[in-house]
Amino acid sequence: VTADADLLVAGGGPVGLAVAIHARLRGLTVLLAEPREGPIDKACGEGLMPGALAELALLGAEPPGWALHGVSYLDGRRRADHLFGGSPGRGVRRTTLSAALIARAESLGVVRIPARVEGIRQDGESVVAAGVSARYLVGADGLHSTVRRLAGLERSRGRGRRYGLRRHFRVAPWSHLIEVHWSAGLEAYVTPVADDTVGVALLGRQGTGFDEAIAELPALADRLADAPPASALRGAGPFAQRTSRRVAGRVLLAGDASGYVDAITGEGLRVGWAQARALAECLADDDPGRYERRWREGTRSFRLLTGGLVVLASSPLRRTIVPLAGALPGVYGGIVERLAR
Ligand SMILES: Cc1cc2nc3c(=O)[nH]c(=O)nc-3n(C[C@H](O)[C@H](O)[C@H](O)COP(=O)(O)OP(=O)(O)OC[C@H]3O[C@@H](n4cnc5c(N)ncnc54)[C@H](O)[C@@H]3O)c2cc1C
């Protein structure tokens, strides 16, 4: 019995689309199950670090946005700026990114199935899901992945209980740096995405009120005082999602579905797109088992540095983060560069 396609991707977010594009570029036939009509919006900081932009170029997509030249940490009294040593990053609205990746995937012949994956059956030859069969199934269905659960790859939740909220404002950007405003209990990521739109993503504990949180950050509240909201409030979380493995027979995981730490370092897309590229290479070679090692290598710094920063940010030492970044620019810059590449 021949399968309907080489690959079925569950999830048409940025990582699922990247898996589909890389697989097509390697000659595999690809179906993509995504219940939502594109372009798709999602709570995200929308900062593409320089390394993420390099991955995007490999995908052949070029969405417009706002050039980002570095990162600034602020706590009301101090600020610590780091300018990227190499090429800039870009703030890109999620719907703009989604539209560009969907167009690229369609131009390469990826076929979308308007469905959710709700059950999986696999044998030695193929996987059946969403009413079709394929030689492999990739779960790229986000933080609360159904594929991860159905394939038995879920591990107990991480200890962290951090969540994110985002909203856009109609205002001209005042900086080419991603601003991270630190208060006692949360971080506000301010990322311009167009010459009249700035996105604000809040990271912190559940139950944080968006307006109350902004009011606790006077420097940011001043900037937004006369700016009308330009998008609906959206949330996501909890961030910490763990997996026991990334491969179960013919089922593989990529992106947030494969395990997530936190948005504190803004590198979900870079990490997810690198996974997508590795995954397509392994499947084109019919060697799904190799992906497990590639996944571990590709996520090591994300797991260690991001995990470490979350522990620090959740401890009494939190208040020392911005002063230390200012006092030790070499260390701060080194960490930002490591995360940015
Ligand atoms: C507040 C916040 C701020 C962030 N800031 C940044 C940042 O500045 N920079 C950065 O790089 N990253 C950032 N991230 C992380 C980034 O948003 C994610 O890493 C990225 O969206 C992961 O993409 P994905 O394709 O894996 O998942 P998603 O974008 O979540 O896409 C999953 C898709 O799967 C679909 N789906 C769900 N269930 C099923 C199913 N059963 N069958 C089929 N389809 C299904 C959904 O409809 C969705 O379209 C942030 C995240 C948050 C929450």
Side-chain angles (χ1 to χ4, degrees), residues 17-279:
L17 286 162
V19 170
I21 290 167
H22 279 304
R24 282 298 301 134
L25 291 172
R26 282 167 182 73
L28 304 181
T29 52
V30 183
L31 300 170
L32 186 142
E34 164 61 57
R36 290 192 280 167
E37 283 275 344
I40 296 171
D41 203 0
K42 174 191 175 290
C44 183
E46 301 179 333
L48 301 185
M49 295 300 215
L53 269 193
E55 289 289 341
L56 197 54
L58 296 177
L59 289 165
E62 192 46 56
W66 182 263
L68 300 172
H69 294 299
V71 176
S72 180
Y73 272 20
L74 308 94
D75 71 0
R77 281 177 302 167
R78 282 157 294 223
R79 66 181 291 154
D81 294 353
H82 175 77
L83 297 179
F84 296 137
S87 54
R90 193 180 300 159
V92 178
R93 187 74 181 83
R94 279 295 284 228
T95 42
T96 307
L97 177 65
S98 174
L101 289 172
I102 289 172
R104 176 68 171 145
E106 279 177 356
S107 76
L108 291 168
V110 174
V111 177
R112 172 176 166 257
I113 304 170
R116 284 181 67 80
V117 168
E118 285 170 335
I120 297 174
R121 221 173 56 237
Q122 68 166 316
D123 59 26
E125 316 262 282
S126 66
V127 189
V128 175
V132 296
S133 65
R135 292 199 298 122
Y136 297 104
L137 167 68
V138 171
D141 49 346
L143 273 186
H144 306 288
S145 169
T146 302
V147 173
R148 176 176 71 211
R149 178 171 50 77
L150 293 172
L153 295 173
E154 203 149 57
R155 208 163 117 194
S156 64
R157 273 233 178 88
R159 269 176 302 142
R161 303 300 290 163
R162 282 164 48 91
Y163 291 74
L165 278 179
R166 80 92 226 258
R167 166 164 269 171
H168 296 86
F169 293 87
R170 190 70 65 217
V171 60
W174 53 88
S175 175
H176 275 283
L177 304 184
I178 301 171
E179 287 187 351
V180 187
H181 294 256
W182 291 76
S183 74
L186 56 87
E187 306 93 63
Y189 280 70
V190 183
T191 311
V193 292
D195 59 12
D196 63 351
T197 312
V198 169
V200 178
L202 300 181
L203 312 185
R205 297 192 77 79
Q206 192 172 26
T208 305
F210 193 90
D211 295 336
E212 295 77 9
I214 300 290
E216 277 179 37
L217 299 163
L220 180 56
D222 275 357
R223 295 280 190 190
L224 300 177
D226 298 319
S231 67
L233 196 59
R234 271 183 181 271
F239 291 135
Q241 302 288 339
R242 296 159 78 200
T243 42
S244 50
R245 283 167 298 125
R246 271 51 57 179
V247 185
R250 296 186 163 268
V251 180
L252 304 91
L253 301 177
D256 288 3
S258 72
Y260 193 65
V261 182
D262 199 278
I264 199 164
T265 46
E267 27 158 29
L269 292 166
R270 176 185 66 76
V271 172
W273 285 336
Q275 290 167 1
R277 188 161 46 80
L279 200 159

